[in-house]
Amino acid sequence: MSFEIHVSGAPKVAAEKVVPQLVADLVASGITAADPTLWGAAAEEEAAKRLGWVDAVSVSRPLVAEIVALRADFAGRGVDRFVLAGMGGSSLAPEVITQTAGVPLVILDSTAPGQVLAALDGDSETGGLERTALIVSSKSGSTVETDSAKRAFEAAFRDLGIDPAERIVVVTDPGSPLDHAAREAGYRVFNADPTVGGRYSALTAFGLVPAGLAGADIGELLDEADATLLEVAVDSPDNPALTLAAAIAASEGPGGTRRDKVGLVADGTHIEGLPDWIEQLIAESTGKEGTGILPVVLLPVSPEFDADLHDLQIVRLVGDAEHFRMLERHPGEVLVSGSLGAQMVVWEYATAIAGRLLGINPFDQPDVESAKIATRGLLEKRPAPSAPAFTVEGVEVRVSDPTLAVSGTISGVLDALWDRLGKDGYVSVQAYVDRLQIPQLMGLRELVAADAGRPATFGWGPRFLHSTGQYHKGGPETGVFLQIAERTDVDLEIPGLPFTFGQLIEAQAAGDASVLAEHGRPVVTLTLTDPAIEVLALFEAAQ
């Protein structure tokens, strides 16, 4: 088998309770047959347009030769550095594919000016623009982050005397505004299946074109996926997708309440970055109508393992050889292993099935647009930033509720934010910064989880807005939000637009904070004004 799953304790009880009914309802074969009625009448219209991913392996096969040929053509012209401008599923799938394959791909899914400049400039090892091709990946092309990156690269290529048509590859839906504009400009265009939503697009052109151009063996990836299709299509208690769906959507904690959070732990698997891809798939698919499953990416040693968390189900992604020796060490956890292609297929099926179990539509994202609208409004009006509640130690502190800042100290503000957490609450840490300059912020999640005593998620802004951002606004009203922003002298114009990258990311942070506040979510924003500040030390001191 290309995918294995082992359950014990509460997940096993959930599977024994739920899977027989899923089998009787022919859910697995129904998904394979692209039956849009499986999620109820309210979801039928959307589901009818979003089930193309079940045929992605066969539909994508002809792309492999085209992508390999284009890579060879680029290599013949001395172009061997590839930058991907994409957001959400358009960037996370290629990222996990290339990281696992061990091939370089520059992911540009940020509007932080420093990151955009780094993508433009390259380095001494990989080369600069003279060796670079840009892959623009967007279903419509209207995504502001992707469009801004495209504009910046077009201008940079022209400044070097390079025709952008020789260096830009576009992946988009057929007939989209980007499709028309790209063809008029003479860019190489790959059309993806329009019946596949972004988060389910890993095995379509959105995942394959960037990964294949970077050098990953995408043919092997499709072979891995193909080997699993029969397993997930059959209406059987042995179907791993049915078991996984039951484990993440129907597992119960003490007292019989549903565990609505899933901790994703990569522990010995050869696949790099898989939890981040799973996180966006689950969060955007299930976080709506006041319900959902909150995915939390954990380290093998995390504060959550030492806490009595009734609402967190652990799913451990392990290597094949480690399965059985880990079973007794981790009772009550879900253990999964398999190739990358197999993992992608099973998790897509399981997430769609989880949507049925939760009674929601797993294919829409009704709350994602709200942050975009707020951002556009701020960019059009360009208001002055709201005054901070107070400034201390090179940090400006802003709060959605004045009572959060009565202490006048960072530690007091954080304590006040944690006090808003209920017994089922979580903390969302959102970093709108240049992550190439402050990568250590990744360690903030563990500090926050330990201090708050509740699960904490971490997301780089603005990329998380296109994935977990849906859950934060549409899911249960149990989250509190900590934004980390920065103020630097580094900025970059966006050709043809009346705002800069620095203004854009500032508006995205402020816009999302305003939407969260409108939804009644407590928000604290810490803006770093001193580039020399030791961010983690600041939080360690606040504990």
Side-chain angles (χ1 to χ4, degrees):
M1 294 178 68
S2 56
F3 184 94
E4 292 186 62
I5 180 169
H6 296 270
V7 292
S8 62
K12 184 177 182 180
V13 172
E16 292 172 344
K17 178 181 178 181
V18 170
V19 169
Q21 189 61 55
L22 294 173
V23 172
D25 292 342
L26 306 179
V27 171
S29 61
I31 292 176
T32 303
D35 180 359
T37 67
L38 292 171
W39 297 272
E44 186 171 346
E45 181 180 358
E46 182 75 19
K49 302 181 292 185
R50 289 290 178 259
L51 284 165
W53 52 272
V54 302
D55 296 318
V57 172
S58 59
V59 170
S60 297
R61 285 287 184 189
L63 289 175
V64 175
E66 294 182 48
I67 296 167
V68 171
L70 181 57
R71 173 175 167 78
D73 177 65
F74 274 128
R77 291 186 276 137
V79 177
D80 57 5
R81 175 179 180 263
F82 295 92
V83 176
L84 170 61
M87 299 298 293
S90 296
S91 66
L92 287 163
E95 185 172 60
V96 68
I97 296 169
T98 53
Q99 286 182 344
T100 301
V103 298
L105 176 65
V106 179
I107 305 290
L108 181 54
D109 56 0
S110 175
T111 50
Q115 278 185 248
V116 179
L117 285 168
L120 287 166
D121 294 342
D123 55 46
S124 57
E125 182 177 340
T126 63
L129 276 179
E130 73 282 354
R131 291 170 52 183
T132 297
L134 175 71
I135 304 152
V136 179
S137 189
S138 173
K139 286 182 69 64
S140 68
S142 62
T143 305
V144 65
E145 299 92 343
T146 305
D147 176 62
S148 298
K150 172 176 167 287
R151 291 168 179 266
F153 270 82
E154 287 172 333
F157 282 136
R158 291 191 182 104
D159 287 345
L160 284 181
I162 298 173
D163 183 354
E166 296 179 358
R167 298 296 186 89
I168 293 181
V169 178
V170 169
V171 185
T172 189
D173 282 356
S176 71
L178 177 58
D179 186 29
H180 292 305
R183 293 184 187 279
E184 289 177 4
Y187 299 161
R188 176 64 185 270
V189 177
F190 287 87
N191 285 140
D193 186 344
T195 65
V196 181
R199 56 192 177 275
Y200 291 86
S201 65
L203 299 173
T204 73
F206 285 107
L208 300 180
V209 172
L213 289 179
D217 189 340
I218 54 177
E220 181 181 29
L221 180 72
L222 291 178
D223 289 342
E224 294 169 356
D226 197 25
T228 311
L229 290 176
L230 182 59
E231 295 179 53
V232 297
V234 64
D235 297 302
S236 163
D238 296 325
N239 184 325
L242 298 180
T243 300
L244 182 56
I248 65 174
S251 179
E252 295 181 352
T257 57
R258 181 176 68 85
R259 287 175 169 160
D260 63 353
K261 301 173 183 66
V262 56
L264 301 166
V265 189
D267 194 358
T269 178
H270 69 288
I271 302 172
E272 296 288 334
L274 183 59
D276 293 317
W277 178 80
I278 296 171
E279 178 187 42
Q280 58 90 32
L281 176 66
I282 292 176
E284 193 169 25
S285 297
T286 71
K288 57 199 73 171
E289 299 180 27
T291 187
I293 303 166
L294 176 69
V296 184
V297 177
L298 304 176
L299 295 175
V301 179
S302 288
E304 284 85 351
F305 292 118
D306 298 322
D308 183 18
L309 299 176
H310 64 283
D311 52 346
L312 182 69
Q313 176 59 59
I314 302 297
V315 176
R316 195 174 293 267
L317 313 169
V318 302
D320 292 335
E322 299 179 43
H323 250 111
F324 295 102
R325 77 173 177 82
M326 299 184 80
L327 283 174
E328 293 184 357
R329 288 170 46 196
H330 302 284
E333 294 186 359
V334 179
L335 303 182
V336 300
S337 70
S339 63
L340 177 55
Q343 293 272 9
M344 287 177 159
V345 167
V346 175
W347 280 101
E348 286 177 346
Y349 265 78
T351 301
I353 297 165
R356 175 184 168 93
L357 293 174
L358 295 174
I360 52 92
N361 176 2
F363 306 115
D364 67 350
Q365 48 281 330
D367 298 289
V368 169
E369 187 65 23
S370 58
K372 298 180 184 179
I373 293 172
T375 297
R376 287 195 292 267
L378 290 173
L379 288 170
E380 289 172 1
K381 297 178 182 178
R382 216 75 59 79
S386 62
F390 61 88
T391 300
V392 62
E393 300 176 31
V395 179
E396 294 179 354
V397 180
R398 291 177 173 81
V399 295
S400 60
D401 179 345
T403 62
L404 289 168
V406 293
S407 68
T409 66
I410 291 177
S411 61
V413 167
L414 295 180
D415 287 341
L417 189 62
W418 309 159
D419 286 344
R420 301 290 181 92
L421 286 166
K423 63 182 180 64
D424 298 320
Y426 71 95
V427 183
S428 173
V429 183
Q430 305 168 349
Y432 289 86
V433 302
D434 179 352
R435 63 178 178 267
L436 301 180
Q437 295 299 315
I438 323 179
Q440 64 269 29
L441 271 184
M442 280 290 292
L444 186 56
R445 196 208 72 79
E446 282 71 37
L447 289 175
V448 167
D451 194 31
R454 292 295 303 157
T457 68
F458 181 90
W460 294 111
R463 104 174 178 177
F464 79 86
L465 292 175
H466 297 264
S467 54
T468 55
Q470 167 60 43
Y471 183 96
H472 299 325
K473 304 172 192 70
E477 296 182 24
T478 56
V480 301
F481 298 85
L482 176 62
Q483 289 188 338
I484 311 295
E486 64 180 342
R487 184 165 296 120
T488 74
D489 295 330
V490 178
D491 206 350
L492 180 66
E493 298 288 331
I494 304 176
L497 294 180
F499 48 84
T500 67
F501 278 101
Q503 291 168 333
L504 174 55
I505 194 169
E506 183 177 334
Q508 288 175 308
D512 195 46
S514 68
V515 173
L516 289 168
E518 289 168 4
H519 281 72
R521 272 64 159 173
V523 186
V524 168
T525 302
L526 306 181
T527 301
L528 311 178
T529 60
D530 181 357
I533 194 169
E534 292 289 339
V535 184
L536 294 190
L538 180 70
F539 279 85
E540 289 167 350
Q543 287 187 323

